[in-house]
Amino acid sequence: MSTSAHVPAESNAEKRVGTRSDGTVIDRLVEANRKYAAGFQDPGMDARPVLHVAVVACMDARLDLHDALGLELGDCHTIRNAGGVVTDDVIRSLTISQRALGTRSVILVHHTTCGLESLTEDFRVELEDEVGQRPSWAVEAFRDVDQDVRQSMQRVRTSPFLPHTDDVRGFVFDVTTGLLREIDPVT
């Protein structure tokens, strides 16, 4: 812990939000929302994505999905979690997306240097040791990102709840180049 009286310069994020470095991060986000809302005009959009596509991706802060995929507001449903793994909750969201809101295509986006590559299921045991209760969820750690994309594609394609499984494609986003690399589902 530093005891220096030196106050660090504003970060780029703080400059974007337009506040000083005092206050909590959430305070800064709420202030940014006030500024956003001041000029906001209801675009009159429906909740149904214009492109009828759902994007399932990792929550990694380095992935700007809309920019990387050329998407605009209203184009897609975006479902994110640690690793971009197709879990029961992702299937729940995709089922609602397809059955209630008209999506027909699913694109899965994992990425290079994912944090889940450095974890194991032992993480759950460590949590149990620390808090006295083992989580009910799986970590879904992996060593081979390509194989994990294949597994996620298979989970989508075989879900009995999803009526549209013919247009499911999986990719690995390279965080150093910004390029997508498509994964063959059967290799």
Side-chain angles (χ1 to χ4, degrees):
M1 181 171 156
S2 174
T3 58
S4 169
H6 173 72
V7 176
E10 282 185 323
S11 71
N12 286 337
E14 290 167 336
K15 289 176 185 170
R16 280 194 315 270
V17 173
T19 63
R20 297 184 332 213
S21 59
D22 55 351
T24 69
V25 171
I26 295 173
D27 290 337
R28 287 178 267 183
L29 297 175
V30 170
E31 178 58 29
N33 174 259
R34 284 188 194 105
K35 292 178 181 179
Y36 170 79
F40 182 78
Q41 293 182 5
D42 180 359
M45 295 177 161
D46 185 41
R48 296 172 178 268
V50 173
L51 299 179
H52 308 286
V53 65
V55 180
V56 178
C58 185
M59 66 186 192
D60 192 296
R62 297 172 291 181
L63 276 65
D64 182 348
L65 291 172
H66 276 77
D67 227 15
L69 299 175
L71 296 167
E72 300 291 331
L73 183 66
D75 283 348
C76 70
H77 283 157
T78 306
I79 304 161
R80 295 180 80 157
N81 66 20
V85 184
V86 176
T87 61
D88 286 345
D89 193 58
V90 169
I91 294 295
R92 178 187 72 86
S93 293
L94 287 172
T95 301
I96 293 166
S97 178
Q98 288 190 359
R99 291 184 175 268
L101 297 165
T103 61
R104 300 185 66 81
S105 301
V106 178
I107 179 173
L108 305 168
V109 182
H110 288 40
H111 66 91
T112 57
T113 66
C114 183
L116 284 186
E117 291 175 302
S118 63
L119 289 176
T120 67
E121 291 299 322
D122 289 339
F123 183 71
R124 296 173 69 232
V125 175
E126 294 164 8
L127 284 172
E128 181 180 22
D129 290 345
E130 181 181 330
V131 303
Q133 180 179 341
R134 184 177 290 195
S136 60
W137 40 263
V139 175
E140 297 278 357
F142 56 87
R143 294 283 176 256
D144 181 340
V145 67
D146 291 16
Q147 186 55 37
D148 199 62
V149 171
R150 283 186 200 96
Q151 177 176 296
S152 289
M153 283 190 281
Q154 184 66 16
R155 287 178 177 173
V156 171
R157 288 186 172 136
T158 59
S159 173
F161 306 109
L162 300 174
H164 306 292
T165 58
D166 56 326
D167 191 16
V168 178
R169 294 171 62 187
F171 297 83
V172 174
F173 177 86
D174 187 315
V175 297
T176 60
T177 67
L179 289 172
L180 290 175
R181 177 173 51 82
E182 188 158 10
I183 302 302
D184 184 341
V186 292
T187 301

